Amino acid sequence: TYTPLVELPQSLNPYAGTSVHIYAKLLNALPLGNVKSIPASRMLKDAQTIKTKLIESSSGNTVASLSVLASHY
């Protein structure tokens, strides 16, 4: 899962006027809009790589992310 980055405008950059650029991750662009999509994606990728089954015992955002992302793996 790739998270888009945007550069903060100079009005929000405390280092404006220097060579420092600050970027923010757009986590709302992730599947289901939550950060749990990142480990879920990694879990699916690892399970596919080692050819094993994945079992998740929670009922929250991780499982929802797994179910949405599973169709891509």
Side-chain angles (χ1 to χ4, degrees):
T1 303
Y2 295 100
T3 309
L5 295 175
V6 292
E7 185 176 359
L8 291 180
Q10 288 191 358
S11 61
L12 297 175
N13 183 350
Y15 303 103
T18 67
S19 61
V20 175
H21 300 272
I22 299 177
Y23 294 86
K25 287 185 174 185
L26 294 178
L27 294 177
N28 63 337
L30 292 172
L32 301 178
N34 68 58
V35 73
K36 296 292 187 165
S37 299
I38 297 169
S41 176
R42 184 57 186 233
M43 289 165 65
L44 288 166
K45 186 176 186 179
D46 289 349
Q48 183 184 32
T49 301
I50 62 174
K51 307 247 189 269
T52 189
K53 292 183 180 185
L54 181 63
I55 299 172
E56 174 62 33
S57 63
S58 73
S59 61
N61 289 331
T62 303
V63 172
S65 293
L66 284 169
S67 65
V68 168
L69 293 171
S71 63
H72 296 286
Y73 285 93

